[in-house]
């Protein structure tokens, strides 16, 4: 294995996705299967991983047979007895076992005596915080959380969440390692939901409420997301959009919706009221969530429209894909 090799605890969906992400960059990884299995069951697991790599390569349509084999050659699966050599040259260990504290405790206990002191430990938990995981890791200062989004081999984003005692040099090195491999790290504090799950949970629940209230059918809600909401936020971030339109628009729209729908969940947080008081309305005043002063606004708008046009074109093409019928 190369110096940049990766070890992954757990050979399930997320573990395989991470292995594929690094394999596409030519980085070797080893999937450590901690479950007790017979030789026959382990061969079945190995076959499943190999088939998944092959199918993924076919779906992506970017590899011929030789490249497909090269991709597979970058991923190794080992059983519990292979832990020591699997960890020996790992620059980073990703923990991707089931989302129970018992499973994570058992996983770290199984590898603790074999884990090199210099290996960075990154849990991929979408539930537990880095503060929860750190207590399980020998040498907790090299521990943080790295939340990937499925499919991990396609989505660039990784939400990186250190705990308060994580070594800052570890955070820097880990972020650089992700960037070396064409992932996009974003930093967040150890808080429930991190960034994306917290935002998307609100959106998914509100979409379900719209169906429940008979306001719109599922197919119309999802079409609105695919060709409206989604493409817009693929071109600019949410807070960038607030600044672009104006914090005052968000303030008044929130006030109206909270009253019209009799739902406090639509009310604005205090930071929006603070921005209103301070005149931080965004682009129109030069300061909001971002500092717009000195920015080449013409160049910014031109790039924004180019990106938006690209995403709209792709979204309209995707509308030709077959969709399931609504159950409502």
């Amino acid at each position: 294995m190369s110096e940049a090799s990766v070890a992954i605890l757990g050979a399930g969906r997320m573990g395989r996705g991470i292995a594929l992400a690094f394999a596409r960059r030519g980085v070797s990884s080893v999937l450590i299967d901690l479950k007790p299995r017979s030789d026959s069951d382990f061969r079945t697991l190995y076959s499943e991983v190999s088939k998944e790599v092959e199918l993924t390569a076919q779906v992506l349509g970017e590899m011929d047979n030789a490249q497909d084999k090269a991709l597979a050659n970058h991923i190794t699966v080992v059983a519990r007895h292979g832990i020591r050599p699997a960890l020996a040259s790992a620059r980073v260990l990703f923990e991707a076992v089931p989302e129970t504290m018992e499973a994570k405790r058992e996983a770290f206990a199984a590898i603790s005596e074999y884990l090199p002191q210099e290996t960075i430990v990154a849990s991929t938990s979408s539930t537990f915080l880095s503060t929860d995981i750190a207590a399980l890791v020998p040498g907790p200062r090299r521990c943080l959380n790295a939340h990937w989004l499925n499919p991990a081999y396609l989505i660039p984003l990784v939400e990186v969440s250190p705990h308060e005692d994580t070594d800052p040099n570890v955070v820097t090195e880990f972020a650089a390692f992700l960037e070396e491999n064409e992932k996009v790290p974003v930093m967040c504090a150890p808080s429930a939901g991190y960034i994306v799950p917290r935002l998307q949970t609100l959106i998914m629940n509100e979409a379900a409420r719209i169906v429940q209230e008979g306001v719109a059918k599922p197919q119309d809600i999802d079409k609105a997301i695919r060709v409206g909401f989604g493409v817009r936020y693929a071109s600019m971030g949410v807070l960038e959009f607030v600044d672009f339109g104006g914090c005052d628009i968000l303030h008044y729209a929130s006030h109206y919706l909270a009253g019209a729908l009799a739902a406090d969940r639509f009310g604005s947080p205090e930071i929006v009221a603070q921005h209103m008081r301070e005149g931080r309305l965004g682009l129109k005043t030069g300061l909001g969530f971002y500092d717009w002063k000195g920015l080449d606004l013409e160049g910014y708008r031109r790039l924004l429209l180019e990106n938006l046009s690209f995403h709209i074109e792709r979204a309209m093409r995707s509308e030709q894909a077959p969709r399931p019928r609504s159950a409502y």
Side-chain angles (χ1 to χ4, degrees):
M1 258 177 245
S2 68
E3 290 184 1
S5 66
V6 171
I8 303 165
L9 271 179
R13 181 185 179 194
M14 179 55 73
R16 297 177 196 185
I18 293 172
L20 276 164
F22 286 110
R24 295 181 71 197
R25 296 289 301 152
V27 176
S28 297
S29 62
V30 55
L31 289 164
I32 303 172
D33 177 45
L34 294 173
K35 292 183 180 179
R37 300 181 194 269
S38 65
D39 290 345
S40 175
D41 287 344
F42 183 79
R43 286 193 296 271
T44 298
L45 172 68
Y46 196 95
S47 176
E48 288 176 356
V49 173
S50 298
K51 287 179 181 177
E52 187 166 338
V53 171
E54 180 181 350
L55 287 173
T56 300
Q58 291 174 1
V59 170
L60 293 175
E62 62 180 22
M63 300 178 182
D64 56 28
N65 289 336
Q67 290 171 314
D68 180 22
K69 290 179 181 177
L71 186 73
N73 287 339
H74 282 297
I75 301 174
T76 304
V77 185
V78 301
R80 194 183 188 100
H81 57 74
I83 290 176
R84 184 188 294 274
L87 294 178
S89 59
R91 179 176 176 184
V92 178
L93 169 72
F94 289 98
E95 173 270 304
V97 302
E99 287 288 79
T100 70
M101 187 54 72
E102 180 182 2
K104 295 182 187 302
R105 185 179 294 108
E106 290 177 355
F108 283 116
I111 66 156
S112 61
E113 63 179 298
Y114 310 114
L115 190 63
Q117 292 183 356
E118 65 273 14
T119 300
I120 295 172
V121 177
S123 175
T124 65
S125 177
S126 59
T127 306
F128 298 105
L129 306 181
S130 54
T131 48
D132 301 319
I133 301 297
L136 309 178
V137 177
R141 282 180 57 78
R142 39 87 174 263
C143 172
L144 41 71
N145 198 75
H147 179 235
W148 299 61
L149 302 185
N150 279 312
Y153 54 84
L154 279 183
I155 305 297
L157 179 71
V158 180
E159 296 180 315
V160 178
S161 178
H163 60 93
E164 62 180 9
D165 291 325
T166 303
D167 185 338
N169 292 326
V170 166
V171 179
T172 301
E173 181 184 348
F174 182 70
F177 179 63
L178 292 174
E179 289 170 346
E180 287 168 15
N181 291 287
E182 295 190 348
K183 307 309 287 186
V184 180
V186 293
M187 300 295 164
C188 60
S191 178
Y194 306 110
I195 300 171
V196 173
R198 185 166 168 176
L199 291 171
Q200 73 182 10
T201 299
L202 290 173
I203 293 170
M204 290 188 292
N205 279 327
E206 202 59 38
R209 285 192 187 95
I210 292 172
V211 174
Q212 176 181 293
E213 295 169 5
V215 174
K217 293 186 178 300
Q219 65 266 34
D220 292 311
I221 297 169
D222 284 344
K223 185 177 291 187
I225 295 295
R226 290 193 301 268
V227 300
F229 186 97
V231 292
R232 197 157 61 180
Y233 291 114
S235 304
M236 65 165 65
V238 174
L239 297 176
E240 186 180 7
F241 182 76
V242 171
D243 275 6
F244 189 81
C247 185
D248 51 332
I249 294 177
L250 173 62
H251 173 78
Y252 293 121
S254 298
H255 181 75
Y256 166 75
L257 285 174
L261 297 176
D264 291 342
R265 68 181 181 276
F266 288 105
S268 295
E270 172 56 29
I271 193 171
V272 171
Q274 179 182 336
H275 280 202
M276 289 290 290
R277 291 193 298 268
E278 297 175 354
R280 297 177 54 158
L281 304 185
L283 184 59
K284 66 181 74 176
T285 61
L287 189 65
F289 285 98
Y290 292 93
D291 184 345
W292 296 87
K293 297 186 293 293
L295 181 69
D296 176 8
L297 295 180
E298 182 179 346
Y300 166 78
R301 288 192 175 96
R302 183 169 57 251
L303 181 60
L304 181 63
L305 288 175
E306 288 174 358
N307 289 339
L308 186 58
S309 296
F310 170 80
H311 289 297
I312 288 173
E313 180 182 348
R314 297 298 295 266
M316 293 302 290
R317 283 172 53 192
S318 77
E319 283 304 294
Q320 300 171 14
R323 307 283 180 186
R325 290 183 298 175
S326 173
Y328 286 83

Short mmCIF file of all heavy atoms in Angstrom, two decimals, residues 39 51 58 67 75 94 103-104 117 131 147 164 170 212 221 238 246 260 262 280 294 308 316 323 326:
data_model
loop_
_atom_site.label_atom_id
_atom_site.label_comp_id
_atom_site.label_asym_id
_atom_site.label_seq_id
_atom_site.Cartn_x
_atom_site.Cartn_y
_atom_site.Cartn_z
N ASP A 39 -15.56 -18.71 6.15
CA ASP A 39 -14.79 -18.44 4.94
C ASP A 39 -15.72 -18.25 3.75
O ASP A 39 -15.50 -17.38 2.90
CB ASP A 39 -13.82 -19.58 4.68
CG ASP A 39 -12.67 -19.63 5.68
OD1 ASP A 39 -12.49 -18.62 6.39
OD2 ASP A 39 -11.99 -20.67 5.74
N LYS A 51 -18.39 -6.82 -7.33
CA LYS A 51 -19.48 -6.57 -8.27
C LYS A 51 -19.95 -5.12 -8.18
O LYS A 51 -20.29 -4.51 -9.20
CB LYS A 51 -20.65 -7.52 -7.98
CG LYS A 51 -20.39 -8.95 -8.40
CD LYS A 51 -21.58 -9.84 -8.07
CE LYS A 51 -21.31 -11.29 -8.48
NZ LYS A 51 -22.43 -12.20 -8.10
N GLN A 58 -19.47 0.86 -14.58
CA GLN A 58 -20.33 0.80 -15.77
C GLN A 58 -21.34 1.94 -15.78
O GLN A 58 -21.57 2.57 -16.81
CB GLN A 58 -21.06 -0.55 -15.82
CG GLN A 58 -20.14 -1.73 -16.09
CD GLN A 58 -20.88 -3.05 -15.99
OE1 GLN A 58 -22.08 -3.11 -15.74
NE2 GLN A 58 -20.14 -4.15 -16.18
N GLN A 67 -9.29 -0.24 -17.05
CA GLN A 67 -9.43 0.76 -15.97
C GLN A 67 -10.32 0.23 -14.86
O GLN A 67 -10.11 0.52 -13.69
CB GLN A 67 -10.01 2.05 -16.55
CG GLN A 67 -9.03 2.79 -17.46
CD GLN A 67 -9.71 3.94 -18.18
OE1 GLN A 67 -10.81 3.80 -18.71
NE2 GLN A 67 -9.04 5.07 -18.21
N ILE A 75 -8.87 -1.52 -4.10
CA ILE A 75 -9.73 -1.80 -2.95
C ILE A 75 -9.50 -3.23 -2.48
O ILE A 75 -9.65 -4.18 -3.25
CB ILE A 75 -11.22 -1.61 -3.30
CG1 ILE A 75 -11.47 -0.17 -3.77
CG2 ILE A 75 -12.09 -1.92 -2.09
CD1 ILE A 75 -12.88 0.07 -4.27
N PHE A 94 -11.07 5.67 8.44
CA PHE A 94 -12.46 6.09 8.48
C PHE A 94 -13.28 5.02 9.17
O PHE A 94 -13.22 3.84 8.81
CB PHE A 94 -13.01 6.29 7.05
CG PHE A 94 -12.46 7.49 6.35
CD1 PHE A 94 -11.41 7.37 5.46
CD2 PHE A 94 -12.99 8.75 6.57
CE1 PHE A 94 -10.89 8.47 4.80
CE2 PHE A 94 -12.47 9.87 5.93
CZ PHE A 94 -11.42 9.73 5.04
N ALA A 103 -21.81 -0.61 18.52
CA ALA A 103 -21.04 -1.05 17.36
C ALA A 103 -19.74 -0.25 17.24
O ALA A 103 -18.67 -0.81 16.94
CB ALA A 103 -21.87 -0.91 16.09
N LYS A 104 -19.81 1.03 17.49
CA LYS A 104 -18.62 1.87 17.38
C LYS A 104 -17.63 1.57 18.50
O LYS A 104 -16.41 1.53 18.28
CB LYS A 104 -19.04 3.35 17.37
CG LYS A 104 -19.88 3.70 16.13
CD LYS A 104 -20.26 5.15 16.09
CE LYS A 104 -21.22 5.43 14.95
NZ LYS A 104 -20.70 5.06 13.62
N GLN A 117 0.11 5.53 15.93
CA GLN A 117 -0.13 6.79 16.62
C GLN A 117 -0.34 7.95 15.66
O GLN A 117 -1.04 8.91 15.99
CB GLN A 117 1.04 7.10 17.55
CG GLN A 117 1.16 6.16 18.73
CD GLN A 117 2.28 6.54 19.67
OE1 GLN A 117 3.03 7.47 19.41
NE2 GLN A 117 2.39 5.82 20.78
N THR A 131 -17.49 14.66 19.69
CA THR A 131 -17.29 14.64 21.14
C THR A 131 -17.67 13.28 21.72
O THR A 131 -17.11 12.85 22.74
CB THR A 131 -18.13 15.74 21.81
OG1 THR A 131 -19.47 15.69 21.29
CG2 THR A 131 -17.55 17.12 21.53
N HIS A 147 -18.42 13.61 7.87
CA HIS A 147 -19.72 13.15 7.38
C HIS A 147 -19.78 13.27 5.86
O HIS A 147 -19.76 14.36 5.30
CB HIS A 147 -20.85 13.98 8.02
CG HIS A 147 -22.21 13.59 7.55
ND1 HIS A 147 -23.09 14.50 6.99
CD2 HIS A 147 -22.84 12.39 7.54
CE1 HIS A 147 -24.21 13.88 6.67
NE2 HIS A 147 -24.07 12.61 6.99
N GLU A 164 -13.45 19.79 20.59
CA GLU A 164 -12.69 20.94 21.11
C GLU A 164 -11.23 20.61 21.38
O GLU A 164 -10.38 21.51 21.41
CB GLU A 164 -13.34 21.48 22.38
CG GLU A 164 -13.40 20.50 23.53
CD GLU A 164 -14.05 21.10 24.77
OE1 GLU A 164 -14.59 22.22 24.68
OE2 GLU A 164 -14.00 20.45 25.82
N VAL A 170 -4.05 18.33 12.94
CA VAL A 170 -4.78 17.18 12.39
C VAL A 170 -5.89 17.66 11.47
O VAL A 170 -6.09 17.12 10.37
CB VAL A 170 -5.36 16.31 13.53
CG1 VAL A 170 -6.40 15.33 12.99
CG2 VAL A 170 -4.25 15.57 14.25
N GLN A 212 -49.53 16.67 3.00
CA GLN A 212 -50.52 16.41 4.04
C GLN A 212 -51.65 17.42 4.01
O GLN A 212 -52.83 17.08 4.19
CB GLN A 212 -49.83 16.42 5.40
CG GLN A 212 -50.75 16.27 6.60
CD GLN A 212 -49.97 16.31 7.91
OE1 GLN A 212 -49.19 15.40 8.18
NE2 GLN A 212 -50.17 17.36 8.69
N ILE A 221 -44.34 18.96 -6.24
CA ILE A 221 -43.34 19.44 -5.27
C ILE A 221 -41.94 19.09 -5.75
O ILE A 221 -41.04 19.94 -5.77
CB ILE A 221 -43.60 18.84 -3.88
CG1 ILE A 221 -44.96 19.29 -3.34
CG2 ILE A 221 -42.48 19.22 -2.91
CD1 ILE A 221 -45.41 18.54 -2.11
N VAL A 238 -27.17 29.23 0.17
CA VAL A 238 -28.40 29.76 0.77
C VAL A 238 -28.18 31.16 1.33
O VAL A 238 -28.97 32.08 1.07
CB VAL A 238 -28.90 28.82 1.89
CG1 VAL A 238 -30.10 29.44 2.61
CG2 VAL A 238 -29.28 27.46 1.32
N GLY A 246 -31.58 40.21 -0.58
CA GLY A 246 -31.75 41.20 0.47
C GLY A 246 -32.30 40.57 1.73
O GLY A 246 -33.31 39.86 1.70
N ALA A 260 -49.49 33.86 8.37
CA ALA A 260 -50.47 33.26 7.47
C ALA A 260 -50.65 31.78 7.72
O ALA A 260 -51.76 31.25 7.60
CB ALA A 260 -50.05 33.50 6.02
N ALA A 262 -49.76 30.35 10.62
CA ALA A 262 -49.83 30.16 12.07
C ALA A 262 -48.79 29.16 12.54
O ALA A 262 -49.09 28.21 13.26
CB ALA A 262 -51.24 29.72 12.48
N ARG A 280 -27.55 45.69 7.56
CA ARG A 280 -26.74 44.72 6.82
C ARG A 280 -27.66 43.91 5.92
O ARG A 280 -28.00 42.77 6.23
CB ARG A 280 -25.98 43.81 7.78
CG ARG A 280 -24.98 44.56 8.65
CD ARG A 280 -24.30 43.65 9.65
NE ARG A 280 -23.66 42.48 9.03
CZ ARG A 280 -22.67 41.79 9.59
NH1 ARG A 280 -22.21 42.16 10.79
NH2 ARG A 280 -22.16 40.75 9.00
N GLY A 294 -15.99 45.98 -2.76
CA GLY A 294 -14.79 45.73 -3.55
C GLY A 294 -14.89 44.55 -4.49
O GLY A 294 -13.96 44.27 -5.25
N LEU A 308 -25.92 29.11 -13.48
CA LEU A 308 -27.36 28.84 -13.40
C LEU A 308 -27.87 28.25 -14.72
O LEU A 308 -28.65 27.28 -14.72
CB LEU A 308 -28.11 30.13 -13.07
CG LEU A 308 -29.61 30.02 -12.81
CD1 LEU A 308 -29.89 29.05 -11.67
CD2 LEU A 308 -30.20 31.39 -12.49
N MET A 316 -33.41 20.30 -16.93
CA MET A 316 -34.46 20.09 -17.94
C MET A 316 -34.25 18.77 -18.67
O MET A 316 -35.21 18.07 -19.01
CB MET A 316 -34.48 21.26 -18.92
CG MET A 316 -34.91 22.59 -18.29
SD MET A 316 -36.57 22.50 -17.55
CE MET A 316 -37.58 22.38 -19.04
N ARG A 323 -40.27 8.59 -14.07
CA ARG A 323 -40.49 8.86 -12.64
C ARG A 323 -41.58 7.95 -12.11
O ARG A 323 -42.50 7.55 -12.86
CB ARG A 323 -40.92 10.31 -12.42
CG ARG A 323 -40.02 11.37 -13.05
CD ARG A 323 -38.76 11.57 -12.23
NE ARG A 323 -37.92 12.59 -12.85
CZ ARG A 323 -36.71 12.90 -12.44
NH1 ARG A 323 -36.20 12.28 -11.37
NH2 ARG A 323 -35.98 13.81 -13.06
N SER A 326 -47.34 9.18 -8.50
CA SER A 326 -47.68 9.64 -7.14
C SER A 326 -48.61 8.66 -6.46
O SER A 326 -49.50 8.08 -7.11
CB SER A 326 -48.34 11.01 -7.22
OG SER A 326 -48.82 11.39 -5.95
#
